[in-house]
Amino acid sequence: MGRFPSALNWILTAAVVAASGVLYGKLFFHASPLYIGAIYALFCGMPALAFERRMILPRLNHWMHSLPTPAFILSALIVDFALIAIGFAMAGGLMKSLNLINDTWANVMLLQVDVYIYAVLVTAIIIFVGRVRELLGRDVFLSLLTGRYRNPMQEERVFLFIDLVGSTAFAEEHGDLRTQQFLGSVFSAFAEPVRRYKGAIDDYIGDAAIITWPLRRGVKNARCIRCVFDILADIEANAETWLKSYGRVPRLRAALHGGSIVTAEIGIDHHKIAYFGDTVNTTARLESLCKTLERQVLISADLARRIELPDDIAREELGDHAVRGRDQTLGVIALHRARRPERKAIGGRS
């Protein structure tokens, strides 16, 4: 149920780290080949970034985050120094062995204070940018960076509302703190399928998450539908882990709808990309119909007409339903995993 950066993000991060090493070499060692700074930077920076993302030594990272802030800062500096020093020694030793550097073993393998400070600063900047990007979401981060929605724009988007069933009962039984941990794990389980199908988690409201795509991106290859069923499949595949951690497997309800909305950047001290229009409200009302109609996944007929369903997804027509706050009725379709036909036994017996 962990979360790791995609291969593309990792490649881009490595490129930035290597470029920082090249820059350091140009500033302080003008005669050195560019590749020396790049290799040193990769060996020094990437382990520190991997540790921060809990890709290496995850238990130590988890323990450090449980410490009081002063102790955490001290331990982080010690661990970063150790990782950077080891990486520096490995890079220097490797290049010295390959005759890429003509210097003493001590000079090429022992970390200097100025190199350590530079490596820490570069790593901190990359981590900060990554955290802001994660906090806002990829699409929102880029939109705020470019000012795309500074003036309101009308566009078409797909919205997916996913609600956790039984969260109130869980809170009454286990308390608010444990419930928040449960919700955090559930929402974390959404991250990889959403990334896989090029969506964006727009917001969390109580025990529900709102996921969105530009319409063309969301309907292409039925990404928005595949995302829902991959989330459900991933949770089912990890049922034993959920039972062991929380005593239950999350049950979800989901609704999909799409259409025209107005997108705008709002706020003064706190900026946010917000969506306005009937499409968002209708998706929320459609999700509430899941309980009424006793179906796990619903999609509006309007959106379903624009999507070619995957072969393993079956549709169930549920007719038109009145939706609160909407003058016209809404065509509703339930989606299910298609049952595989049973194989007949030899001789015609089933």
Side-chain angles (χ1 to χ4, degrees), residues 6 32 61 135 149 177 183 194 225 228 244 275 283 340:
S6 67
S32 298
N61 189 298
L135 181 65
Y149 296 116
L177 182 60
L183 281 172
V194 171
I225 293 175
V228 178
K244 182 178 179 180
Y275 305 105
T283 311
R340 296 179 179 178

Side-chain angles (χ1 to χ4, degrees), residues 143-162:
S143 296
L144 289 173
L145 203 63
T146 60
R148 179 183 178 187
Y149 296 116
R150 196 154 294 162
N151 295 316
M153 288 179 55
Q154 191 158 21
E155 59 181 359
E156 290 189 309
R157 299 190 74 90
V158 175
F159 288 91
L160 165 62
F161 278 51
I162 305 184

Side-chain angles (χ1 to χ4, degrees), residues 25-333:
K26 291 289 287 182
L27 291 174
F28 301 102
F29 301 96
H30 308 290
S32 298
L34 298 181
Y35 63 81
I36 291 178
I39 293 173
Y40 267 123
L42 288 171
F43 274 78
C44 291
M46 297 307 288
L49 291 171
F51 175 74
E52 194 277 335
R53 297 302 302 238
R54 300 187 181 181
M55 299 182 73
I56 59 174
L57 304 174
R59 292 184 179 180
L60 175 60
N61 189 298
H62 181 75
W63 174 78
M64 286 169 53
H65 278 80
S66 68
L67 297 174
T69 299
F72 168 75
I73 294 173
L74 178 62
S75 63
L77 289 173
I78 293 172
V79 171
D80 283 346
F81 180 82
L83 291 173
I84 292 171
I86 293 171
F88 189 90
M90 291 177 63
L94 176 63
M95 288 189 287
K96 177 70 173 176
S97 300
L98 296 174
N99 294 320
L100 299 177
I101 298 181
N102 296 317
D103 206 340
T104 65
W105 284 97
N107 286 340
V108 301
M109 292 187 65
L110 295 180
L111 179 66
Q112 303 298 316
V113 174
D114 57 341
V115 175
Y116 168 67
I117 293 174
Y118 183 80
V120 168
L121 288 175
V122 171
T123 303
I125 291 171
I126 293 174
I127 290 172
F128 175 76
V129 172
R131 287 290 177 87
V132 172
R133 181 182 178 276
E134 286 182 354
L135 181 65
L136 298 176
R138 179 193 61 198
D139 290 349
V140 173
F141 177 72
L142 292 175
S143 296
L144 289 173
L145 203 63
T146 60
R148 179 183 178 187
Y149 296 116
R150 196 154 294 162
N151 295 316
M153 288 179 55
Q154 191 158 21
E155 59 181 359
E156 290 189 309
R157 299 190 74 90
V158 175
F159 288 91
L160 165 62
F161 278 51
I162 305 184
D163 180 45
L164 176 64
V165 179
S167 60
T168 302
F170 186 92
E172 291 175 350
E173 182 179 351
H174 299 281
D176 292 338
L177 182 60
R178 186 61 173 162
T179 302
Q180 187 57 48
Q181 294 173 340
F182 183 42
L183 281 172
S185 296
V186 172
F187 292 150
S188 294
F190 297 171
E192 181 53 36
V194 171
R195 185 186 300 115
R196 188 183 309 146
Y197 293 106
K198 304 182 182 300
I201 298 177
D202 172 60
D203 206 353
Y204 302 104
I205 302 175
D207 55 5
I210 303 174
I211 300 164
T212 184
W213 294 259
L215 185 69
R216 290 182 61 183
R217 187 198 301 172
V219 301
K220 184 178 181 180
N221 298 323
R223 283 181 177 135
C224 58
I225 293 175
R226 294 180 190 274
C227 180
V228 178
F229 284 95
D230 272 22
I231 289 172
L232 298 176
D234 287 353
I235 287 177
E236 184 179 346
N238 291 289
E240 292 185 6
T241 302
W242 287 106
L243 287 171
K244 182 178 179 180
S245 300
Y246 297 103
R248 68 180 63 191
V249 179
R251 291 188 301 117
L252 303 174
R253 290 192 295 252
L256 283 157
H257 180 54
S260 178
I261 50 94
V262 172
T263 307
E265 179 181 333
I266 62 172
I268 302 298
D269 294 328
H270 173 68
H271 288 253
K272 176 178 171 34
I273 303 298
Y275 305 105
F276 303 93
D278 179 65
T279 299
V280 181
N281 298 329
T282 300
T283 311
R285 305 290 184 259
L286 182 61
E287 190 277 323
S288 66
L289 278 177
C290 289
K291 183 176 181 180
T292 305
L293 299 176
E294 298 182 347
R295 299 294 189 276
Q296 187 172 27
V297 181
L298 296 179
I299 184 172
S300 68
D302 294 340
L303 179 60
R305 278 193 289 268
R306 308 176 79 160
I307 302 177
E308 183 178 348
L309 287 182
D311 293 337
D312 59 340
I313 302 297
R315 57 189 287 159
E316 177 189 2
E317 301 283 349
L318 299 177
D320 294 340
H321 291 265
V323 176
R324 184 163 54 89
R326 180 184 169 103
D327 295 335
Q328 298 178 341
T329 57
L330 181 69
V332 178
I333 297 170

